Amino acid sequence: MVVLTARSENTKPQGRLTMQTVEIGSETLCIRSLDWDRDRFDIEFGLQNGTTYNSFFVQGDKTALIDTSHRKFQELYLDALTGLIDLSTLDYLIISHTEPDHSGLVKEVLQLAPQVTVVGAKVAIQFLQNMVHQPFQSLIVKNGDRLNLGNGHELEFVSAPNLHWPDTIFTYDAKTRILFTCDAFGMHYCNDYTFDEDSELIEADFKYYYDCLMAPNARSVLSAIKRIDKLDVGIIATGHGPLLQHHLSEWVNRYQQWSQEQTKADTLVALFYSEDYGYSDQLARAIAHGIQRNGVAVELVDLSDAEPHEVRELVNQAAGLVIGMPSQANQNAHAALSTILAAAHNKQAIGLFETGGGEDEPIYPLRNKFQEIGLTEAFPPILIKEPPTQVIEQICDEAGTDIGQWLTRDRTIKQIKALDNDLERALGRLSSGLYIMTARKGDVKSAMLASWVMQASMNPLGVAVAVAKDRAIESLLHVGDRFVLNVLEEDNYQSLMKHFLKRFSPGADRFAGIKTYSASNGCPILADALAYMECEVTMRMECSDHWIIYSNVQTGRVAKIDGLTAVHHRKVGNHY
């Protein structure tokens, strides 16, 4: 075992960083980046025991690197990697998924190994093209595809979308019986032990990690477990924490049990699409993202290889159906559509979208059939006449949000009625101002009425805004994004408030009829606002059904020096 150690030289210390290189199987090495002191992981949850980022190297007649590491390990990781192999001879770089903690050094590896072929799911390759901004050779793989490295190392790929990114794949090496799973079955736990010798020591972190990252995708967990059940697995090589070997069946059984319990209470949308046709997969995942904002589970099913009995069972369980139009020549997909029509019932919601393959099944005859059955249309049909743009993806995201909100409307009403009356009235006495957040990213613009706003720091000047998870604007408010906070004026806010409280159809222009001008950060400023501040998101914190968006204020202006901010008084505290 080789160990390298370093401590960050930045003014803001990153803590102790070390490396381990450990043989875990025949001609197979684990390159572990140990982040001993990390106390928070991407604002998603706090860490008590640090974390690791695990990368793997397989040597056959050809060589493969599975995942890289976090950017903070750049020097240490590349030193360890170049000590193992002359990167100019590396054949394959397998991307389990493109989250930065696993692919943060892909660009650097490509610079040292320009001849390498990058292997990943179709959507992963698309994501990487937008990340590295340089050409590279690629090989797109699907569930069941194989890659022969020689000397007995034949790799089989297992599709595992939403665990916990949409582009996730597992990789299985039959020679070593090692299954490389990236985030799935992992945990944020850092120690010198490569494997799970002491289960009691790590079981709390294993469960905490599942609750934070995997529980929202419990159905996808069960689908992945079903796919790996046929494999003879001796080691699960995770992307975080110790590798699993000594208590393997116990860990997998826990995932299965927890996920089965989770899905019993789920509101489910079955989303049918054709992975290799048109832009179906890209649009389907944008819609799924919007649906999941509402705490609604989504199961994606490829119409091209769906089994009739599985389709029937899924439709029977689902509260909502979303269907991307397959090719008219796809016989298996049409058989699946017939099964869906036979199993659908009038208590379900439905949404349809074209996929832009050139020979799409006509959308309106299918729409009429679902209307005859009595399904509620959750969003208008999405028609694709050109390659998807940011605007089209936003339309899909907002359409998903709409069906999610429709399916959770009864739950929302119950939550409103749930609080004790005295507590409702007391909480409602927390007064707040009225503001309009406006954001723009590329060609996509959005806005929302905000009232839960406060100054959060003085040096640097910062504000915090609570944004409900089901707001369309949420996708434009990630770290590094910019927005404008428009302050509404007392006695001059009713028309703006009424306008931005309207329900907009997916893709509708929220600024139609509203006078605006552009801020220096590109976001709209409302001409009738009392004041505005240009902000950049620097942190997000998850708080139950809201995100707290903390931002640095970069510039601002007051239009009327004597004007007063509009104040919002509620009677109760458990809804707006």
Side-chain angles (χ1 to χ4, degrees):
M1 179 175 68
V2 178
V3 181
L4 300 175
T5 306
R7 189 175 291 274
S8 170
E9 299 299 326
N10 294 341
T11 55
K12 182 180 179 181
Q14 297 184 43
R16 186 162 63 104
L17 309 178
T18 66
M19 300 290 302
Q20 287 181 344
T21 302
V22 184
E23 185 173 4
I24 60 171
S26 176
E27 302 161 318
T28 305
L29 298 175
C30 177
I31 310 167
R32 302 183 75 215
S33 302
L34 283 74
D35 194 346
W36 292 89
D37 302 318
R38 185 162 185 173
D39 60 0
R40 181 157 291 279
F41 196 81
D42 295 340
I43 315 302
E44 290 176 285
F45 48 86
L47 307 183
Q48 295 183 350
N49 298 301
T51 191
T52 74
Y53 314 95
N54 302 329
S55 173
F56 305 93
F57 177 69
V58 182
Q59 172 80 61
D61 297 328
K62 294 184 176 181
T63 55
L65 179 66
I66 302 175
D67 298 322
T68 63
S69 185
H70 194 288
R71 179 165 292 278
K72 69 168 71 175
F73 282 89
Q74 179 173 339
E75 183 177 351
L76 280 172
Y77 179 81
L78 293 178
D79 283 349
L81 186 59
T82 53
L84 296 174
I85 181 177
D86 176 358
L87 284 176
S88 67
T89 67
L90 182 65
D91 295 294
Y92 299 104
L93 171 57
I94 297 171
I95 303 298
S96 299
H97 77 211
T98 52
E99 192 176 15
D101 54 321
H102 303 288
S103 62
L105 298 176
V106 167
K107 187 172 184 177
E108 286 71 18
V109 171
L110 289 176
Q111 289 171 347
L112 295 170
Q115 80 292 339
V116 76
T117 298
V118 180
V119 181
K122 180 180 178 181
V123 67
I125 300 300
Q126 292 170 343
F127 286 168
L128 274 182
Q129 289 168 342
N130 294 327
M131 287 169 56
V132 302
H133 305 294
Q134 68 183 70
F136 57 85
Q137 300 177 68
S138 62
L139 173 64
I140 293 173
V141 293
K142 299 180 295 183
N143 186 65
D145 285 352
R146 296 172 185 264
L147 178 64
N148 194 341
L149 300 182
N151 199 25
H153 295 284
E154 185 175 35
L155 306 183
E156 180 178 347
F157 300 100
V158 179
S159 179
N162 302 319
L163 297 183
H164 71 118
W165 271 37
D167 55 348
T168 300
I169 59 169
F170 296 167
T171 303
Y172 176 68
D173 185 352
K175 179 175 181 176
T176 57
R177 299 171 56 233
I178 298 175
L179 178 68
F180 304 91
T181 60
C182 202
D183 282 332
F185 303 103
M187 70 198 81
H188 290 305
Y189 191 91
C190 183
N191 67 6
D192 288 320
Y193 293 98
T194 305
F195 292 99
D196 57 333
E197 286 92 340
D198 188 345
S199 62
E200 293 184 3
L201 191 66
I202 59 178
E203 60 184 357
D205 293 88
F206 185 78
K207 180 63 163 67
Y208 185 44
Y209 184 93
Y210 173 88
D211 289 341
C212 291
L213 288 188
M214 297 297 155
N217 301 297
R219 291 183 181 275
S220 297
V221 171
L222 293 175
S223 295
I225 290 175
K226 184 176 181 181
R227 284 178 169 173
I228 66 175
D229 187 54
K230 64 182 178 64
L231 304 175
D232 178 20
V233 178
I235 295 174
I236 290 182
T238 61
H240 294 294
L243 313 189
L244 308 181
Q245 180 183 35
H246 300 285
H247 309 277
L248 194 59
S249 60
E250 181 181 346
W251 299 126
V252 175
N253 288 340
R254 289 190 189 190
Y255 254 49
Q256 186 162 25
Q257 177 186 342
W258 294 334
S259 298
Q260 288 171 341
E261 292 172 355
Q262 184 75 19
T263 56
K264 288 178 182 178
D266 271 350
T267 300
L268 172 67
V269 171
L271 201 164
F272 297 94
Y273 72 114
S274 301
E275 185 168 323
D276 291 325
Y277 177 69
Y279 305 98
S280 186
D281 57 342
Q282 183 177 349
L283 303 176
R285 297 187 194 286
I287 294 172
H289 181 265
I291 294 170
Q292 289 172 323
R293 276 208 191 96
N294 300 270
V296 174
V298 182
E299 186 152 343
L300 282 78
V301 179
D302 187 351
L303 287 166
S304 301
D305 58 13
E307 295 291 338
H309 69 280
E310 292 181 350
V311 172
R312 189 179 305 107
E313 180 180 352
L314 186 59
V315 173
N316 287 335
Q317 294 174 0
L321 308 174
V322 176
I323 304 172
M325 297 301 100
S327 166
Q328 296 180 51
N330 189 331
Q331 295 183 355
N332 196 74
H334 282 80
L337 288 179
S338 298
T339 302
I340 294 168
L341 283 165
H345 56 80
N346 60 11
K347 293 184 179 179
Q348 292 170 314
I350 183 71
L352 305 175
F353 65 100
E354 288 185 339
T355 50
E359 298 180 353
D360 286 14
E361 176 73 12
I363 200 167
Y364 287 103
L366 186 61
R367 180 196 195 195
N368 292 339
K369 291 178 181 178
F370 282 112
Q371 288 180 336
E372 290 171 3
I373 297 171
L375 279 75
T376 300
E377 186 171 75
F379 57 82
I382 299 173
L383 308 179
I384 305 299
K385 304 305 179 187
E386 59 184 357
T389 61
Q390 285 182 311
V391 172
I392 292 173
E393 288 195 4
Q394 183 70 7
I395 289 172
C396 291
D397 190 288
E398 292 177 7
T401 300
D402 280 0
I403 191 170
Q405 289 177 340
W406 170 258
L407 294 174
T408 57
R409 65 197 186 283
D410 291 340
R411 185 175 70 194
T412 302
I413 293 170
K414 289 179 181 178
Q415 289 173 342
I416 288 173
K417 296 178 178 179
L419 289 184
D420 173 82
N421 285 336
D422 286 340
L423 178 54
E424 288 178 357
R425 297 190 189 102
L427 195 57
R429 295 308 184 266
L430 293 175
S431 61
S432 55
L434 285 173
Y435 312 85
I436 304 293
M437 291 181 74
T438 59
R440 179 171 187 163
K441 186 186 291 187
D443 296 328
V444 176
K445 296 186 294 184
S446 192
M448 71 165 235
L449 179 70
S451 58
W452 294 358
V453 178
M454 63 177 288
Q455 183 172 346
S457 64
M458 291 193 293
N459 185 21
L461 290 172
V463 296
V465 185
V467 178
K469 289 182 176 178
D470 63 355
R471 299 293 186 186
I473 198 174
E474 179 272 333
S475 61
L476 307 181
L477 298 174
H478 290 264
V479 173
D481 290 339
R482 295 172 172 85
F483 67 91
V484 167
L485 186 64
N486 297 272
V487 183
L488 300 188
E489 182 184 6
E490 186 180 59
D491 299 327
N492 186 31
Y493 67 88
Q494 287 85 356
S495 61
L496 285 172
M497 184 173 73
K498 182 178 179 181
H499 174 84
F500 287 104
L501 279 176
K502 287 191 304 186
R503 187 173 187 85
F504 294 91
S505 60
D509 182 2
R510 285 160 169 75
F511 300 95
I514 301 297
K515 186 177 180 182
T516 66
Y517 58 97
S518 185
S520 61
N521 65 12
C523 302
I525 297 172
L526 304 184
D528 291 333
L530 170 64
Y532 73 88
M533 287 153 274
E534 298 185 25
C535 307
E536 180 175 347
V537 180
T538 58
M539 186 179 297
R540 287 162 55 101
M541 183 171 68
E542 188 173 12
C543 294
S544 185
D545 51 6
H546 283 67
W547 288 101
I548 303 299
I549 308 295
Y550 172 78
S551 308
N552 289 341
V553 180
Q554 299 176 321
T555 188
R557 180 176 177 272
V558 178
K560 188 184 295 184
I561 200 68
D562 296 325
L564 297 176
T565 303
V567 178
H568 181 46
H569 294 284
R570 295 177 296 163
K571 293 183 178 180
V572 292
N574 66 338
H575 61 280
Y576 298 120

